[in-house]
Amino acid sequence: MTPKQPKESKLTNQFNFSERASQTFNNPLRDRECQMEPPPRTNFSATANQWEIYDAYIEELEKQEKTKEKEKTKTPVAKKMGTMAMRKMTSMESQSDDITKVMQAAKIVERMVNQNTYDDVAQDFKYYEDAADEYRDQEGTLLPLWKFQTDKAKRLAVTALCWNPKYKDLFAVGHGSYDFMKQSRGMLLLYSMKNPSFPEYAFSSESGIMCLDMHMDHPYLVVVGHYDGNVAIYNLKKPHSQPVFRSSAKSGKHTDPVWQVKWQKDDMDNNLNFFSVSSDGRIVSWTLVKSELVHTDVIKLKVEGSTLEGPEGLQLHTVGCGTAFDFHREIDYMFLVGTEEGKIYKCSKSYSSQFLDTYDAHNMAVDAVSWNPYHSKVFISCSSDWTVKIWDHTVKTPMFIYDLNSAVGDVAWAPYSSTVFAAVSTNGKTHVFDLSINKYEAICNQPVVAKKKNKITHVRFNPVYPIIIVGDDRGHVTCLKLSPNLRKMPKEKKGQEVQKGPAVEIAKLDKLLNLVREVKPRN
Amino acid sequence: MGEAEGKKDEADYKRLQTFPLVRHSDMPEEMRVETMELCVTACEKFSNNNESAAKMIKETMDKKFGSSWHVVIGEGFGFEITHEVKNLLYLYFGGTLAVCVWKCS
């Protein structure tokens, strides 16, 4: 047994040990407070009714049943694919939904951005009148406004231009290629002057587009002629890339490029119909019967004096190649056809074998013919033989001849005057003539395209505004404003009534023609 | 055919009676699952006394997730509350009950 050792407190010697105590300095105490941001709060409200609860349960039931059914019908592998596809579809749908929801707004914003970017151009278009024209005696200028081009159509030449009859700022451009060797696809683009950076509508086709026309009464129907001889109708209300109606080898397409198409008035059954002319020598009338294109050969262009006797007594004709045509504005059945041989035939829709008249117009192919919008007897023609000729259809020889030093691609009458017309040539120049001011020379002679290698292919006047559009073979369309000198109205003498309207225009041109006619007998 | 469907609906409905249907929740997943299970337990235990069920839920939530929680259980009520974000659960239970649990100090 170990004795418990009592706890001995240490006995300190009073003499050797003394207590000592000390206190260190305590730092003063300080209060510190901190308030954190309270955790965020929101409100929430709902109602708890018996019927709400019931409805929610029923919904849940249905959802469960649907998922059970889906699981049953799909095989495991397909299920995976299905869910993936569904996910993709839903994501794509949501994407497309987003765009379509803001499409209207996006369009407006795009137009506003364009307006701001091209603000000075828009101001020029509306208000700029070249003041220098007062000093330039009889000449005028063309002020370049907008330039329309798209990447997709960069290599394709502009082969056709047409203003929309209803919307004065909308025009159609057909793209294709004039080169025999390099044929590629074609494009139909519709631009609005309000948006020069991107076409409003775009359609692409496999074969180059050579010509187009818009219907007067149905401005959403565009008929197009292709290099492979097909014709097609596009409906702008349905902007898919595919034409609404299309001809085919079975339905009588041309065997050569279609050079021009033109809408006609609806026939007696209220069916739409249009004419087309092509190098295969046929002028065909197409009618839209019950959503199908039906063709009727109106006339075959035969080269006169070349009928040969073939075997079994058949008459063989050499077929002339039509390159341009135009219908008379008042006399419905009469129309002109220009051919590759340089002849112009006056034909009637009713006579299919004979021409009413023939004009030995040019030495090379006729590129364009056009009746004067006011005078019912006068028409103009242009050709690659460098000349532009004005005719009276009762006279076999031309009234006026102009040599432009370069192949003329297109010629167009101005809609506001019977004596003004514009011609474009392959050297990049645009010529504007006003016969009432200067009978022998152009009053405006202006290079319009940047590079000299650019050939201008077509020109069209806007029916309302004093502007013209010019297309070249690089795929650009330039819009130019006519200076005041180019659109002079005849000056009214003081005291006389201001006469305006087609009668005045016709009288103006008549006067000019008479001058020329009088000169001729003297010669 | 109609009758058979009606019976099927009833059977399904009865099946759902114990199924808690979350109407609205902004809780994190884990928290939500725990809270849901707690509510189900409480309501089943005190099926005839809403107050006790609510009391149980509130006290457990306070202990687990901090003060201060509020719980409402009932069959017909409307409410508008302010709650701390990510601390709200509103669910239906038993075909007739609605439970609303939220934190707001």
Side-chain angles (χ1 to χ4, degrees):
Chain A
M1 202 164 78
T2 49
K4 267 191 187 172
Q5 283 197 1
K7 279 186 183 169
E8 285 173 0
S9 52
K10 213 173 184 182
L11 282 172
T12 47
N13 195 341
Q14 267 189 340
F15 300 101
N16 293 346
F17 295 96
S18 62
E19 279 202 23
R20 240 186 225 235
S22 67
Q23 170 88 29
T24 55
F25 182 68
N26 283 337
N27 283 329
L29 292 176
R30 182 170 276 182
D31 284 325
R32 265 205 189 247
E33 303 109 13
C34 175
Q35 170 107 17
M36 299 224 300
E37 263 188 42
R41 297 177 178 186
T42 58
N43 291 346
F44 177 69
S45 62
T47 319
N49 286 325
Q50 288 305 297
W51 61 84
E52 291 242 348
I53 300 177
Y54 181 75
D55 285 345
Y57 273 114
I58 297 294
E59 248 188 79
E60 189 65 27
L61 246 184
E62 284 169 13
K63 267 191 212 169
Q64 281 185 358
E65 276 174 18
K66 272 185 195 168
T67 49
K68 276 184 197 167
E69 278 176 22
K70 279 177 187 169
E71 281 171 27
K72 278 181 200 167
T73 51
K74 285 183 190 166
T75 60
V77 176
K79 187 176 153 195
K80 266 190 190 174
M81 299 278 288
T83 44
M84 282 287 286
M86 270 175 64
R87 254 179 255 155
K88 271 187 194 168
M89 278 226 348
T90 44
S91 65
M92 269 183 64
E93 270 175 15
S94 58
Q95 273 179 11
S96 63
D97 272 356
D98 288 344
I99 292 177
T100 48
K101 273 179 204 166
V102 300
M103 175 121 91
Q104 187 69 9
K107 237 189 171 173
I108 295 177
V109 172
E110 187 186 19
R111 289 217 172 158
M112 287 183 65
V113 168
N114 271 307
Q115 200 178 340
N116 285 338
T117 325
Y118 296 107
D119 183 46
D120 46 352
V121 176
Q123 299 284 339
D124 282 345
F125 158 69
K126 260 283 174 179
Y127 304 115
Y128 182 78
E129 303 291 353
D130 198 350
D133 264 9
E134 286 175 47
Y135 307 108
R136 257 181 246 137
D137 203 7
Q138 283 170 345
E139 293 172 351
T141 49
L142 296 167
L143 178 74
L145 294 172
W146 297 286
K147 208 171 187 194
F148 300 91
Q149 63 194 48
T150 342
D151 284 335
K152 287 185 221 162
K154 229 179 187 175
R155 301 284 167 74
L156 302 171
V158 170
T159 51
L161 290 172
C162 184
W163 287 98
N164 190 301
K166 187 173 175 197
Y167 298 104
K168 307 298 175 195
D169 62 300
L170 185 68
F171 62 92
V173 182
H175 287 274
S177 171
Y178 281 119
D179 203 339
F180 178 69
M181 299 305 287
K182 297 182 204 164
Q183 275 299 316
S184 69
R185 58 198 175 87
M187 288 210 74
L188 171 65
L189 301 170
L190 278 104
Y191 286 95
S192 162
M193 289 185 339
K194 299 176 192 166
N195 185 349
S197 37
F198 204 77
E200 300 289 310
Y201 303 95
F203 304 93
S204 59
S205 61
E206 289 161 354
S207 163
I209 292 180
M210 301 310 291
C211 54
L212 64 91
D213 192 29
M214 294 202 198
H215 202 284
M216 287 301 281
D217 302 319
H218 307 279
Y220 50 87
L221 288 176
V222 181
V223 65
V224 148
H226 290 282
Y227 197 87
D228 60 0
N230 272 318
V231 290
I233 300 182
Y234 288 88
N235 186 336
L236 296 181
K237 282 190 181 174
K238 302 176 194 169
H240 310 300
S241 199
Q242 287 312 306
V244 182
F245 306 106
R246 206 154 188 269
S247 70
S248 62
K250 275 191 284 174
S251 62
K253 74 174 183 81
H254 290 279
T255 49
D256 267 335
V258 179
W259 290 102
Q260 203 148 353
V261 283
K262 259 217 162 71
W263 282 109
Q264 296 300 302
K265 294 188 194 134
D266 288 355
D267 65 3
M268 284 182 278
D269 299 325
N270 284 340
N271 288 324
L272 302 164
N273 78 330
F274 62 92
F275 274 62
S276 65
V277 67
S278 149
S279 295
D280 64 359
R282 287 162 54 217
I283 297 181
V284 178
S285 156
W286 302 82
T287 320
L288 208 63
V289 177
K290 288 184 192 171
S291 77
E292 256 191 36
L293 274 178
V294 175
H295 84 286
T296 329
D297 273 13
V298 171
I299 200 165
K300 262 206 162 100
L301 300 169
K302 290 171 237 151
V303 176
E304 286 180 25
S306 66
T307 54
L308 306 162
E309 285 276 341
E312 296 170 7
L314 279 174
Q315 298 260 338
L316 293 172
H317 317 283
T318 333
V319 165
C321 310
T323 50
F325 70 173
D326 193 20
F327 287 84
H328 199 279
R329 278 149 235 277
E330 281 136 45
I331 308 173
D332 210 19
Y333 55 81
M334 190 159 78
F335 62 97
L336 297 163
V337 184
T339 62
E340 236 172 74
E341 295 81 44
K343 291 202 178 21
I344 298 183
Y345 300 114
K346 185 167 69 175
C347 318
S348 159
K349 286 191 201 174
S350 354
Y351 294 108
S352 64
S353 52
Q354 267 197 337
F355 311 123
L356 295 176
D357 215 342
T358 315
Y359 309 91
D360 283 323
H362 293 275
N363 300 323
M364 286 181 69
V366 176
D367 282 328
V369 279
S370 179
W371 288 101
N372 188 302
Y374 294 99
H375 203 290
S376 57
K377 285 195 188 170
V378 173
F379 66 90
I380 193 173
S381 72
C382 76
S383 152
S384 320
D385 70 352
W386 296 10
T387 58
V388 172
K389 297 189 183 175
I390 301 185
W391 309 75
D392 178 329
H393 75 92
T394 50
V395 180
K396 288 259 181 177
T397 51
M399 298 275 121
F400 297 97
I401 305 177
Y402 300 97
D403 192 329
L404 295 178
N405 288 330
S406 176
V408 185
D410 196 11
V411 71
W413 288 106
Y416 50 82
S417 165
S418 64
T419 51
V420 177
F421 64 91
V424 284
S425 53
T426 49
N427 60 0
K429 282 195 175 176
T430 306
H431 312 258
V432 179
F433 292 80
D434 187 344
L435 299 172
S436 56
I437 296 178
N438 190 333
K439 282 203 292 288
Y440 305 108
E441 276 182 348
I443 52 173
C444 170
N445 206 326
Q446 189 169 324
V448 165
V449 280
K451 293 184 189 167
K452 281 208 171 159
K453 281 190 193 168
N454 246 341
K455 302 177 203 160
I456 311 185
T457 49
H458 282 277
V459 66
R460 281 283 174 270
F461 280 87
N462 183 307
V464 172
Y465 305 111
I467 53 178
I468 55 172
I469 41 171
V470 167
D472 66 13
D473 72 342
R474 286 282 164 87
H476 307 305
V477 177
T478 318
C479 182
L480 302 140
K481 184 164 184 186
L482 302 160
S483 70
N485 265 351
L486 300 174
R487 16 181 190 110
K488 264 198 181 150
M489 294 290 146
K491 280 191 180 158
E492 308 95 28
K493 290 186 190 162
K494 287 184 191 173
Q496 268 192 354
E497 279 178 23
V498 174
Q499 281 176 344
K500 289 213 173 157
V504 179
E505 302 290 338
I506 297 177
K508 214 173 32 161
L509 196 53
D510 257 338
K511 230 180 11 171
L512 283 167
L513 292 175
N514 283 334
L515 280 173
V516 185
R517 275 193 219 123
E518 277 175 17
V519 172
K520 287 208 174 282
R522 276 183 224 163
N523 286 350
Chain B
M1 276 289 284
E3 273 192 24
E5 275 181 26
K7 281 187 185 170
K8 190 186 169 195
D9 278 343
E10 267 192 50
D12 283 339
Y13 186 62
K14 280 180 187 168
R15 241 191 299 140
L16 283 176
Q17 298 233 345
T18 49
F19 174 86
L21 178 56
V22 173
R23 202 70 162 92
H24 180 90
S25 159
D26 64 348
M27 284 181 174
E29 183 66 27
E30 251 187 63
M31 193 182 186
R32 186 169 67 80
V33 168
E34 266 194 67
T35 316
M36 254 172 64
E37 286 180 9
L38 169 65
C39 289
V40 169
T41 319
C43 291
E44 278 177 349
K45 194 169 175 189
F46 299 105
S47 50
N48 55 353
N49 189 343
N50 287 344
E51 195 190 328
S52 329
K55 189 169 186 175
M56 176 181 162
I57 295 174
K58 181 230 168 28
E59 283 173 351
T60 323
M61 294 295 277
D62 279 349
K63 259 189 275 175
K64 272 195 206 167
F65 302 112
S67 66
S68 63
W69 285 85
H70 313 269
V71 180
V72 177
I73 303 184
E75 288 176 12
F77 60 93
F79 59 92
E80 161 107 24
I81 54 165
T82 309
H83 66 95
E84 279 179 25
V85 171
K86 300 225 166 180
N87 286 288
L88 169 73
L89 178 64
Y90 175 43
L91 60 87
Y92 294 156
F93 177 76
T96 50
L97 274 185
V99 181
C100 187
V101 182
W102 75 97
K103 179 177 183 185
C104 186
S105 53

